[in-house]
Amino acid sequence: AGEPIHVRFCFQMYGHKDPYVSGTTLTMDVLSDGMERVLDIAGAQWTGDDNITGQIRFEFDHAGEDAEVSVCLYLNDGYTAPPQAEDKPIAFGSDGYNKMIARSLMQEGNTYRIKKAIDKARRGEDTTLAFIGGSITQGAGAIPINKECYAYKIFTGFCDLTGREYDDNVKYIKAGVGGTPSELGMLRYQRDVLNDGKGDPDLVVIEFAVNDEGDETKGDCYDSLARKIYNGPGHPGVILLFSVFADDYNLQDRLKCVGEAYNLPMVSVKNAVVPQFNLSEEEGRILTRSQYFYDVFHPTNAGHTIMADSVLHLMRTADSIPSKEEFDINTVTPPKSADFENVYYAGRDDIDSAKAVLSYETGSFTGKETALHYCERDLDLFGTPEFPDNWLYDGSVDKSNPVFKLKVHCRNFLVAYMDSASPAVGKATVYADGKEAVKIDPHIVGWQHANALIVVREPEAADHEIEIRINPEDIDKKFILLGFGITD
């Protein structure tokens, strides 16, 4: 079948400090000629920061190439492994598969806005589907990431359901950013989905069920984000989607109260797939963990398909039942908190128009960082930088004034900054009204991505003086200040 092609085999360990960088990656160049090749790991140079087995992957020289491969792990004498049953193809569309998908419908909720979006698309009117979440929404594990991710599969399934051509009158927004919780998501929504006032979504899927351990409010930001979207421009339908990790972890038990209180449709992939993982084929197993998970965090292409089918099952259910009266979530006491519902983001480009900002002094925060967290947005295969309008403090260039000062009139104030694994990036301390409020250590997470922390949270708006100070021991280093979240 033609000349053998060159392929690089990679066995990657995820690291403690930076999951995708600091662990060991063993590589071996092979040809697709049918011959077995052995990677001897006895003499491998290990980084010393290995955490868990991350990926087994194959890298091709050119896009579009493929090959069939088997990977065997040989054990040294004295070690044993449990018997490994060969995975059989997933019977998509079978009765067993459909029953598994049906289990994902955690709560039908009020389907008025879903039905409204479906009817709107069928009439040929412009209809927008948007997705906001973490790395799973970004498409991690899907190959290619732009069209095999669950979000795009829901989009195409919605188009099929409504009889529309893809990207005809139905529009698609994918705003997933790896490693970020709803605490940052409520700031990103303004730009990444609403496009600073230009966006007008009809349906929004929220997927933060495996990211929100990083939300310091333990659910308040998630509640506020759901309200922000539901009550915001376009008055879209809101679907809460609960994804899952390979160890069965997610936070749906913490977050489902938001959907229950507001009668929002909820879909749990955990409820669908986890109960059948430990079954035998005879007992009704549809797929194995290895078929669903690309790594310990992210789904394979098949996993993304299952996520999409679960949400599409909800949409078909909504389409098949009579319209309900629209539910007003403002009649319900927030189960967590609505404190941040009206939060807005102010970066370098729009801080002058932020009415809560009375004045500010950038000090030596005069640069602009371009080496940012890049994410594949919408149908793009190439990353888009997150928060490009930032302020860079670079002590190697100017350390004369390592303080960024603001005077603001607000109830809530958050600082967004860039995490990093680089030793060239330093720490900072945030002061509110002369008192230490937040310590920022960009190395805690251990890899480069955006983060946000609450500096001020008060029941009433008041004047506050905020200072972001580079720690004295790091005055020669860098610090990337992305912007601010403000509630007037």
Side-chain angles (χ1 to χ4, degrees), residues 45 121 252 361 445 482:
Q45 297 296 315
Q252 67 185 44
E361 301 172 20
V445 176
L482 299 177

Side-chain angles (χ1 to χ4, degrees), residues 288-304:
T288 62
R289 289 183 194 273
S290 62
Q291 287 176 304
Y292 183 87
F293 288 101
Y294 172 83
D295 57 19
V296 294
F297 305 123
H298 308 111
T300 59
N301 285 5
H304 277 276

Side-chain angles (χ1 to χ4, degrees), residues 125-320:
E125 299 175 26
D126 286 346
T127 308
T128 300
L129 272 63
F131 303 83
I132 187 167
S135 58
I136 297 176
T137 297
Q138 186 178 339
I143 303 171
I145 196 171
N146 62 338
K147 290 193 174 180
E148 285 294 329
C149 62
Y150 85 83
Y152 187 72
K153 291 179 178 184
I154 292 173
F155 165 73
T156 58
F158 180 88
C159 290
D160 293 340
L161 176 64
T162 57
R164 311 310 305 180
E165 294 294 328
Y166 303 163
D167 204 28
D168 179 8
N169 64 295
V170 183
K171 309 301 179 185
Y172 172 68
I173 298 173
K174 183 183 72 170
V177 177
T180 64
S182 55
E183 185 168 357
L184 188 73
M186 66 184 186
L187 305 186
R188 291 197 298 108
Y189 185 73
Q190 172 184 326
R191 292 187 170 188
D192 292 355
V193 175
L194 297 182
N195 194 15
D196 286 324
K198 299 175 185 176
D200 196 18
D202 295 276
L203 277 177
V204 180
V205 176
I206 303 175
E207 182 271 317
F208 282 112
V210 292
N211 286 70
D212 257 17
E213 192 57 48
D215 168 21
E216 61 184 312
T217 69
K218 306 304 179 187
D220 294 0
C221 293
Y222 186 85
D223 190 343
S224 296
L225 175 61
R227 294 179 61 92
K228 182 180 186 68
I229 296 172
Y230 194 89
N231 288 329
H235 295 283
V238 173
I239 297 172
L240 305 183
L241 175 60
F242 301 111
S243 51
V244 65
F245 281 164
D247 62 357
D248 302 343
Y249 165 86
N250 77 5
L251 287 170
Q252 67 185 44
D253 288 342
R254 175 200 288 179
L255 303 176
K256 66 182 180 181
C257 63
V258 174
E260 291 169 346
Y262 302 143
N263 205 14
L264 298 175
M266 293 192 288
V267 173
S268 169
V269 183
K270 177 178 180 176
N271 289 2
V273 299
V274 168
Q276 57 88 60
F277 278 147
N278 295 321
L279 301 178
S280 66
E281 284 187 48
E282 293 73 24
E283 292 171 324
R285 187 185 71 222
I286 304 302
L287 77 160
T288 62
R289 289 183 194 273
S290 62
Q291 287 176 304
Y292 183 87
F293 288 101
Y294 172 83
D295 57 19
V296 294
F297 305 123
H298 308 111
T300 59
N301 285 5
H304 277 276
T305 296
I306 290 166
M307 290 187 67
D309 285 346
S310 297
V311 176
L312 289 169
H313 172 67
L314 163 66
M315 291 182 175
R316 286 191 293 268
T317 300
D319 189 36
S320 66

Side-chain angles (χ1 to χ4, degrees), residues 429-451:
T429 303
V430 186
Y431 296 84
D433 303 319
K435 297 179 181 179
E436 181 180 306
V438 172
K439 292 180 181 294
I440 299 179
D441 181 357
H443 303 112
I444 290 177
V445 176
W447 60 288
Q448 181 163 303
H449 80 305
N451 212 338

Side-chain angles (χ1 to χ4, degrees), residues 47-63:
T47 68
D49 192 52
D50 297 322
N51 182 15
I52 55 176
T53 303
Q55 299 180 18
I56 293 176
R57 67 177 185 270
F58 296 86
E59 299 176 350
F60 294 81
D61 291 337
H62 305 287

Side-chain angles (χ1 to χ4, degrees), residues 308-360:
D309 285 346
S310 297
V311 176
L312 289 169
H313 172 67
L314 163 66
M315 291 182 175
R316 286 191 293 268
T317 300
D319 189 36
S320 66
I321 60 178
S323 293
K324 299 181 179 181
E325 184 176 339
E326 186 171 17
F327 186 75
D328 183 3
I329 68 171
N330 298 303
T331 63
V332 178
T333 300
K336 291 290 187 177
S337 173
D339 275 3
F340 304 98
E341 177 180 348
N342 297 314
V343 69
Y344 61 90
Y345 181 76
R348 185 171 186 153
D349 290 347
D350 45 23
I351 190 170
D352 291 322
S353 61
K355 60 182 180 180
V357 178
L358 308 177
S359 64
Y360 66 96

